């Protein structure tokens, strides 16, 4: 596809459950980012992948959150023992390269996660 | 730590010009970006300033003054489709060069 694809677009689950959110970046983009956005706020950085490795995971709020990108393209954000405070829109973005060089990030439409 | 301030809401008339300001506090500043986000949509990149001055891209321009830790986004010939939220975001040393975002400015355009 031409853009960043995120699935599912919406996810509703009960507190305590496990969820997986998927991101399919633009083909050839080596840098991939996960953000979390709450209503009325800007995106909050979670984790950055350069290729297959997590180059910066300093934004992950706690050890319930984990992300992988095993083949350097599709990434999965995993949340264990979900809490109501995890409810937010989870955004994925990709760019051709990462690092300190500024490159526009291309975002998906996000997954709206609701924890009941 | 880092902080960014931008107005929460701005209202303007179709066809007019509007300026959205952003002030920031960072260490090791490494550029100011602007993104547009329509309700329920994905943020889309608008512009980037690393050096002082004005960058123009069509109807949109962005300005940066590093000495004042200040920038703005200027939108000209406003169209109804420009109704959206606009975010400034900075990259700096403290954030490992990751984007740190403001809370966004909701632009309301009236006919």
């Amino acid at each position: 596809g031409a853009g960043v694809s995120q699935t599912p677009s919406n996810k509703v689950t009960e507190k305590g459950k496990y969820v997986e959110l998927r991101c399919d970046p633009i083909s050839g983009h080596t840098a991939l980012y996960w953000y979390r956005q709450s209503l009325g706020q800007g995106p909050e950085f979670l984790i950055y992948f350069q290729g297959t490795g997590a180059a910066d995971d300093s934004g992950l709020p706690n050890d319930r959150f984990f992300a992988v990108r095993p083949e350097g393209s599709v990434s999965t954000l995993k949340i264990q023992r979900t809490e109501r405070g995890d409810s937010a829109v989870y955004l994925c973005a990709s760019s051709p390269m990462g690092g300190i060089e500024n490159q526009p990030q291309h975002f998906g439409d996000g997954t709206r996660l609701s924890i009941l | 730590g880092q902080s960014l301030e931008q107005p929460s809401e701005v209202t303007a008339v179709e066809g007019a010009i509007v300026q959205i300001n952003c002030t920031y506090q960072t260490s090791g500043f490494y550029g100011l970006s602007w993104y547009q986000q329509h309700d329920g949509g994905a943020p889309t990149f608008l512009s980037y300033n690393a050096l002082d001055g004005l960058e123009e891209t069509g109807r949109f321009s962005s300005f940066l003054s590093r000495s004042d830790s200040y920038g703005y986004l200027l939108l000209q010939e406003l169209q109804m489709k420009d109704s959206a939220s606009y975010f400034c975001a900075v990259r700096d040393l403290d954030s490992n060069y990751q984007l740190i975002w403001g809370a966004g400015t909701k632009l309301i355009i009236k006919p």
Side-chain angles (χ1 to χ4, degrees):
Chain A
V4 176
S5 175
Q6 291 188 246
T7 55
S9 55
N10 284 281
K11 176 72 176 176
V12 180
T13 192
E14 294 180 342
K15 176 173 174 282
K17 299 291 188 184
Y18 168 82
V19 296
E20 288 190 354
L21 311 179
R22 175 188 167 106
C23 173
D24 200 340
I26 292 173
S27 178
H29 282 193
T30 61
L32 184 146
Y33 307 82
W34 282 100
Y35 293 88
R36 178 168 69 174
Q37 186 175 26
S38 299
L39 194 63
Q41 298 296 317
E44 172 193 8
F45 168 75
L46 296 177
I47 187 169
Y48 153 56
F49 285 91
Q50 183 59 43
T52 61
D56 185 351
D57 65 359
S58 62
L60 294 178
N62 52 60
D63 61 6
R64 295 187 296 106
F65 289 73
F66 187 70
V68 295
R69 194 185 185 198
E71 298 178 358
S73 88
V74 170
S75 176
T76 305
L77 178 67
K78 308 180 182 192
I79 311 174
Q80 298 177 321
R81 304 184 304 280
T82 51
E83 300 176 357
R84 294 198 176 89
D86 299 334
S87 297
V89 176
Y90 288 80
L91 294 166
C92 176
S94 69
S95 64
M97 294 190 311
I100 64 174
E101 294 297 323
N102 181 74
Q103 294 187 323
Q105 294 184 13
H106 302 264
F107 283 81
D109 285 337
T111 294
R112 184 174 301 276
L113 178 64
S114 300
I115 309 299
L116 303 179
Chain B
Q2 314 94 337
S3 69
L4 295 95
E5 289 192 14
Q6 51 182 131
S8 59
E9 188 175 291
V10 171
T11 301
V13 177
E14 191 176 14
I17 299 172
V18 72
Q19 179 173 312
I20 298 173
N21 298 321
C22 175
T23 58
Y24 60 85
Q25 287 187 320
T26 66
S27 302
F29 174 82
Y30 207 81
L32 178 70
S33 300
W34 289 92
Y35 283 77
Q36 177 193 61
Q37 185 178 33
H38 288 96
D39 283 348
T44 56
F45 174 78
L46 293 177
S47 69
Y48 171 71
N49 296 70
L51 302 176
D52 293 349
L54 192 69
E55 295 282 341
E56 299 182 66
T57 308
R59 294 188 297 114
F60 294 0
S61 304
S62 59
F63 172 82
L64 176 65
S65 168
R66 289 173 295 170
S67 61
D68 295 323
S69 298
Y70 163 75
Y72 66 71
L73 180 69
L74 190 74
L75 297 83
Q76 303 182 72
E77 301 172 17
L78 286 172
Q79 302 175 10
M80 297 303 292
K81 68 178 181 179
D82 298 330
S83 295
S85 291
Y86 293 83
F87 294 88
C88 57
V90 297
R91 291 156 61 90
D92 77 342
L93 182 62
D94 279 354
S95 67
N96 295 326
Y97 304 107
Q98 303 307 330
L99 283 176
I100 303 299
W101 299 64
T105 298
K106 187 174 179 65
L107 176 60
I108 298 169
I109 299 174
K110 298 185 174 180

